[in-house]
Amino acid sequence: MKFPPGFKFGAATSAYQIEGAWNASDKGRNIWDSMIHKNPSIIEDGTSGDVTCDSYHLWREDVQIAHDLGLHFYRFSISWTRILPTGFPNKISKDGVRYYNKLIDELLKKGIEPIVTLYHFDLPLSIQNLGGWTNPLIVDWFADYARTVFLMYADRVKTWVTINEPMIICDFNYNVGNLVPQITEEFLGPFICNKNVLMAHAKAWRIYDENYKEKYQGKISIANNPIWLEAQTEKDEELSERAREFGVGRYSDPIYSKEGGWPPTIEKIMAEYSKKQGFPYSRLPSFTDEEKKLVQGTYDYFSLNHYTSRLVRSARADEDPGLWYISGSRELNLVLEKDPQWPKTDFVYIVIQPEGIRRQIAWLNKRYHNLSILITENGLGTRSSDNYDTGRIHYIRDHLKQILLAIKEDGANIVGYTVWSLMDNFEWMFGQSMKFGLYDVDFSHPLRRRTPRASAHFYRNVIKHHSLDVPHPSHHWDKYRKTYNNGVTIKYSNCFLVLLVLLEHIICKLLLN
């Protein structure tokens, strides 16, 4: 159950989800600021990222809890409009630059490596108004932003992620349309966006490679978030492989494959299907030879976000495959389903199949020749504020076990693991109602009090012992809570109930320590 020497453990957050201070100093507006202020009802609980965890002011608290966990690294993102208020390099915010300088320096002081994501969903409103990720000029605008950030922080940040989850930004956003900026356009949107994201990533990677890599020896990747797709029956095996190519392959082949460009089978399918739809061209935009060379090889490791899996089967004759998270359901005439045996979660999209992460890693290694892989997100969301989060502990433990098996039995080169997330935050369309945190955040408290959950205690022990062979803290809590729930009734006086609550609090504190 031991992890190999050098294996690193971390936790992650993103700027809009934790920073707050949406209009502090000269920060510009992003798409979330704009959409939520216009229509707060788009968020399930009516909250926003205006304050959230208030990490803009409480960044020392964030560093301290990361230190208390014993994290080797902390992955966070930079707000594009906090650095470039207009979205463009005509103005650089001194206060924005100073904020991230303080955070990075404090992390290093505590012995925690900063891993920085340049873009995590919070596009400048000015750029969205010009077409966002479907405007090819965004490739140069993102490059300008990346160049600015590298200039400020490349001397201290050694690991970078350019863009988080392009499959969400493109496929999910344009197919489903319920995430900000809430634009639905299934025909061209996902595919134009797909190409532009890859081009933007490539330009940023090459800026770093040409100007900073030799001096600082840093590494850069793009964070892909494939759902593991496996055949429902043996006859669906070939279809499942096409589905994987349509998903992770479309966002990875142009970067990681020896040939470069789109997966050939998908390029052919898209050309044929587009023609049937009456398009005089493929809906999947082609790469020129120059563009293909620009994108190919722009990686130093594979950044993998993983949460869940699905089964793949052929659609029945009378069945419309519909649209889903990944494009290709209609083009491939397939349906994605959940295995009823996989445990459900409070987040309807996520079902639990820990073996999926090992199978996904095996697929990546076979296709792209044994990459160095960093797991940059993995975690469980719940609607419960309960700090005895047994489910989250099992989820993390079971996925870490599969990662160990991938390393020890499959020979995978996995260098680290990241829990999403360090603490509860603004979880996009769920607001504050969906909780992924190792630390509970009291959003009603003026100081946004951070309290460790049982999962924080568990994860801290895993890191400390560099092993999964550690006690499960919730065993003690579950036993205590069972006794408490069976033994206490409303017949007791209010005074005695107060004493019991205080006693519970003291015992929990002792167990956490």
Side-chain angles (χ1 to χ4, degrees), residues 148-442:
T148 304
V149 175
F150 293 150
L151 180 64
M152 302 299 171
Y153 309 118
D155 60 327
R156 285 156 292 159
V157 176
K158 307 301 181 186
T159 306
W160 299 86
V161 174
T162 54
I163 297 167
N164 185 72
E165 299 186 346
M167 202 179 291
I168 291 283
I169 297 167
C170 300
D171 283 36
F172 186 78
N173 272 359
Y174 286 100
N175 284 333
V176 181
N178 65 352
L179 271 179
V180 171
Q182 296 195 310
I183 297 172
T184 306
E185 201 296 302
E186 66 179 274
F187 293 107
L188 299 175
F191 305 106
I192 295 172
C193 175
N194 187 171
K195 180 182 175 181
N196 289 342
V197 162
L198 293 175
M199 294 283 289
H201 153 78
K203 280 217 171 181
W205 189 93
R206 296 204 179 275
I207 288 168
Y208 185 88
D209 186 61
E210 292 165 12
N211 298 282
Y212 299 99
K213 183 169 289 182
E214 186 176 351
K215 186 174 182 179
Y216 298 119
Q217 300 298 303
K219 297 180 179 181
I220 306 188
S221 184
I222 183 171
N224 270 308
N225 61 311
I227 298 167
W228 171 244
L229 302 174
E230 60 183 65
Q232 190 173 71
T233 65
E234 214 172 287
K235 67 179 182 180
D236 297 312
E237 286 291 351
E238 186 177 343
L239 181 63
S240 298
E241 183 63 12
R242 296 292 82 77
R244 294 174 203 128
E245 290 179 328
F246 218 112
V248 63
R250 191 161 37 89
Y251 287 93
S252 301
D253 269 29
I255 297 172
Y256 300 96
S257 72
K258 288 185 176 181
E259 300 78 15
W262 304 117
T265 54
I266 302 308
E267 201 164 21
K268 181 181 178 183
I269 288 167
M270 282 298 296
E272 293 172 350
Y273 196 85
S274 299
K275 188 176 181 180
K276 288 179 183 177
Q277 290 178 301
F279 285 91
Y281 47 78
S282 175
R283 288 161 46 222
L284 182 67
S286 61
F287 288 103
T288 65
D289 288 342
E290 185 180 0
E291 289 170 340
K292 189 182 290 187
K293 289 177 182 177
L294 176 73
V295 176
Q296 189 178 13
T298 54
Y299 70 93
D300 299 295
Y301 64 98
F302 194 101
S303 173
L304 175 63
N305 295 359
H306 179 90
Y307 289 94
T308 193
S309 303
R310 288 294 187 276
L311 296 174
V312 179
R313 67 167 174 83
S314 297
R316 294 183 289 269
D318 59 344
E319 188 175 18
D320 180 4
L323 289 170
W324 201 63
Y325 170 73
I326 308 169
S327 293
S329 55
R330 285 179 176 159
E331 288 84 352
L332 298 175
N333 196 38
L334 62 78
V335 173
L336 301 179
E337 294 183 330
K338 303 169 188 174
D339 189 320
Q341 295 183 24
W342 295 341
K344 298 177 182 178
T345 73
D346 291 343
F347 193 161
V348 67
Y349 153 72
I350 295 175
V351 289
I352 301 174
Q353 192 219 11
E355 294 82 4
I357 195 168
R358 181 181 180 187
R359 293 168 189 169
Q360 183 66 74
I361 289 165
W363 188 89
L364 292 170
N365 279 332
K366 182 179 179 181
R367 192 170 183 90
Y368 305 124
H369 311 290
N370 205 27
L371 295 159
S372 171
I373 296 173
L374 174 63
I375 310 298
T376 38
E377 282 185 32
N378 178 246
L380 179 68
T382 68
R383 292 189 178 275
S384 171
S385 298
D386 193 350
N387 287 349
Y388 309 96
D389 54 343
T390 305
R392 184 171 290 107
I393 291 171
H394 283 302
Y395 182 95
I396 293 170
R397 183 184 180 91
D398 291 347
H399 281 79
L400 281 172
K401 183 178 180 181
Q402 292 300 317
I403 289 167
L404 263 179
L405 290 171
I407 294 169
K408 295 188 174 186
E409 295 190 7
D410 306 339
N413 181 19
I414 306 170
V415 298
Y417 172 84
T418 314
V419 169
W420 182 272
S421 62
L422 177 62
M423 56 193 164
D424 293 340
N425 52 47
F426 176 81
E427 197 56 50
W428 307 119
M429 308 311 287
F430 292 105
Q432 295 165 4
S433 65
M434 187 64 67
K435 302 175 187 301
F436 277 85
L438 295 171
Y439 278 73
D440 167 81
V441 176
D442 183 352

